Amino acid sequence: MSALSSDVVSGSAVGLRGRLWRLSSAELRAAAVEASAEILRLEAVRVAVVDELSMRPDDQVIASRGVGAWLAAHTMLQVRDGKKIAALGAALRAFPAVAAGFDDGDCSFDHAVLIVAFCESPPKGMPEEALPKCIDLLLAAASGVEATTTKVRHVIATLERVFESDEIPPAEDVDRNELRIASTLNGRVVVRGDFDALTGEMLLSALSNLTMPTPAPDGTPDARSAAKRTADGFTELIRRYLDCAKTGTDGGQRPHVNVHINARDLAEHRDCAAAPSDGEESPSDLDVGHMPWLGPLSVSQTRLLGCDCFLSTVLLDAHGAPLDARPGKRLVNAEQRVALIARDRGCAFPGCSCVPAWTDAHHIKHWANGGPTVMNNLVLLCRSHHRLMHRKSGFVGKWEIRIGLDNKPWFIPPPSIDPQRHPRPANTTFKT
């Protein structure tokens, strides 16, 4: 990092915007990364300091009814955030390995909260001696720039699968569901809810097409914010329900939720899950349910849904990639799209989190150039990355996509991003 960009990170933000023009694009990127690392460092410092203060409270802290409330009263934090910081500090005392990862900047605040929550309430079937290995797996998923909350939750769901019990995971506990609807003094309505993952998946699936950006007839981009589009979609959802209030009839098809899972794991008897036959089965060999919007779903809940659903079969190869669905015309047919979703689980571009409902099927070798509509020539991309593959205006260089030996897409960046052009796996390729 240059001295100028280093000064940007270490100095005050007052008047900074007027000086940033002096930095090159590379220096701006370096400053943004360094600032983010500094935020992680300072978060760890704050958690440690607040935790120490909680163990040695003085009169000010005692008068504030706890260190979390005291912190909120003396900063711009909300009380709930101050208490969350204090709670994490206290929880990390019992798990030094997690604390070390957090203090080193290898784990974000939110991911540390997820990991200690698992450690404090592990699956009932998990022996105590298995906890260190589980922590290693969770920290591996939470470290590095490619770490995402979905990946951490996937490992948690897999570990709950390995040590399966009758305990309901918090994400699936319907007894915790709450919905508050209150009118305000100016006549508006405030809605606040907390739902289990399955209910959330149904809601997001129902809102999907209603919340997508819709250009004006003249092609002008949709100017609404994401929150405004969601509000408009929710209004339309209610209106359609009331307009077609012949609901509640028995027997119709129920297109509520799509869940993907390995057929072996769907059929496997639950008593066998915690005790693999050869004792060598890796967590990566086990499957959990996966929903397009909210990610991992426990195998027990998936089996429950499997008792009353429409099953759609996608044949996979030894690498877990779908075998070719029947080739069609230029447009991808329904069978191929189901297979693509099973493989890519959304936009496959590295680092993109766009869900399957908002993706296009892209021909790796363009249809106009003789590219066939077959699985090994198709990949799911969101509209933004789809345009990028077709040479987005103003973008220097060109990304390439190749199907690897694992029959999954790999992305090769242009020299302007990586001079060595090292292939990058699709964002759904998760290795513990």
Side-chain angles (χ1 to χ4, degrees):
M1 178 183 291
S2 68
L4 184 58
S5 58
S6 181
D7 290 342
V8 167
V9 175
S10 60
S12 170
V14 176
L16 176 62
R17 295 175 185 273
R19 305 195 307 271
L20 290 178
W21 64 270
R22 299 161 59 189
L23 272 65
S24 66
S25 295
E27 290 173 323
L28 288 171
R29 285 189 279 105
V33 171
E34 182 66 21
S36 299
E38 185 69 3
I39 290 171
L40 287 178
R41 185 186 71 81
L42 290 174
E43 278 189 327
V45 169
R46 181 169 62 182
V47 168
V49 171
V50 169
D51 185 46
E52 183 66 23
L53 185 58
S54 72
M55 293 187 288
R56 296 190 286 124
D58 58 11
D59 290 345
Q60 289 193 37
V61 173
I62 294 172
S64 298
R65 300 181 64 184
V67 68
W70 170 86
L71 182 64
H74 291 80
T75 64
M76 295 183 182
L77 292 172
Q78 298 296 310
V79 174
R80 64 177 180 273
D81 296 324
K83 290 183 176 180
K84 191 174 182 180
I85 291 169
L88 177 60
L92 287 174
R93 296 176 209 160
F95 308 106
V98 183
F102 179 59
D103 294 343
D104 289 342
D106 293 332
C107 177
S108 71
F109 183 95
D110 291 336
H111 291 166
V113 170
L114 276 176
I115 294 173
V116 295
F118 173 87
C119 295
E120 288 179 328
S121 300
K124 289 183 178 179
M126 189 182 83
E128 186 175 345
E129 58 270 19
L131 183 59
K133 178 61 176 177
C134 293
I135 290 177
D136 290 343
L137 291 171
L138 289 166
L139 288 175
S143 65
V145 296
E146 295 182 355
T148 65
T149 301
T150 299
K151 289 181 178 180
V152 177
R153 287 182 54 232
H154 180 91
V155 174
I156 291 174
T158 302
L159 293 174
E160 290 172 343
R161 162 81 171 90
V162 173
F163 305 107
E164 194 173 354
S165 71
D166 292 329
E167 186 177 6
I168 300 175
E172 298 168 15
D173 189 354
V174 297
D175 290 337
R176 301 188 184 194
N177 288 4
E178 294 180 342
L179 179 64
R180 294 184 173 90
I181 304 176
S183 59
T184 64
L185 292 176
N186 62 0
R188 296 183 64 80
V189 173
V190 175
V191 180
R192 182 177 179 181
D194 180 6
F195 296 103
D196 63 284
L198 184 57
T199 302
E201 183 75 12
M202 289 190 289
L203 177 60
L204 292 172
S205 297
L207 289 172
S208 174
N209 289 332
L210 302 177
T211 57
M212 294 181 66
T214 305
D218 62 356
T220 305
D222 195 333
R224 297 175 298 167
S225 66
K228 173 61 174 170
R229 294 199 312 270
T230 301
D232 292 346
F234 190 65
T235 302
E236 180 63 19
L237 185 66
I238 296 171
R239 180 181 293 114
R240 292 186 183 186
Y241 174 85
L242 296 176
D243 288 346
C244 306
K246 296 178 181 178
T247 56
T249 57
D250 294 330
Q253 182 179 354
R254 300 185 296 169
H256 296 334
V257 176
N258 291 314
V259 180
H260 302 104
I261 190 169
N262 185 296
R264 181 201 65 179
D265 293 298
L266 179 63
E268 183 182 72
H269 191 275
R270 61 182 296 114
D271 292 338
C272 300
S277 57
D278 57 4
E280 299 294 331
E281 195 163 8
S282 167
S284 61
D285 295 329
L286 296 172
D287 198 14
V288 295
H290 181 87
M291 298 181 293
W293 289 98
L294 291 176
L297 186 69
S298 73
V299 72
S300 58
Q301 180 77 348
T302 304
R303 290 176 186 148
L304 177 63
L305 295 175
C307 290
D308 182 18
C309 71
F310 286 89
L311 289 175
S312 178
T313 301
V314 178
L315 298 179
L316 307 177
D317 63 14
H319 300 286
L323 298 175
D324 214 351
R326 289 177 294 176
K329 301 179 181 178
R330 181 178 67 85
L331 298 179
V332 171
N333 60 34
E335 183 181 8
Q336 288 173 316
R337 185 163 182 87
V338 168
L340 284 170
I341 292 173
R343 185 192 71 188
D344 297 344
R345 296 187 175 182
C347 179
F349 194 90
C352 186
S353 58
C354 187
V355 295
W358 291 5
T359 59
D360 301 327
H362 168 69
H363 286 76
I364 297 174
K365 180 180 180 181
H366 298 328
W367 172 265
N369 296 333
T373 307
V374 295
M375 287 297 296
N376 275 0
N377 194 48
L378 296 171
V379 62
L380 289 183
L381 296 174
C382 67
R383 188 59 53 87
S384 176
H385 288 123
H386 199 175
R387 292 196 191 99
L388 183 65
M389 292 303 161
H390 288 274
R391 296 302 296 270
K392 184 176 181 179
S393 176
F395 186 80
V396 179
K398 181 177 176 61
W399 283 80
E400 295 180 13
I401 307 176
R402 295 178 186 171
I403 299 297
L405 296 177
D406 56 0
N407 287 324
K408 297 178 181 178
W410 289 72
F411 292 75
I412 303 174
S416 59
I417 293 178
D418 179 4
Q420 303 301 319
R421 307 200 72 192
H422 296 295
R424 303 183 182 185
N427 73 319
T428 53
T429 302
F430 176 55
K431 300 177 180 178
T432 57

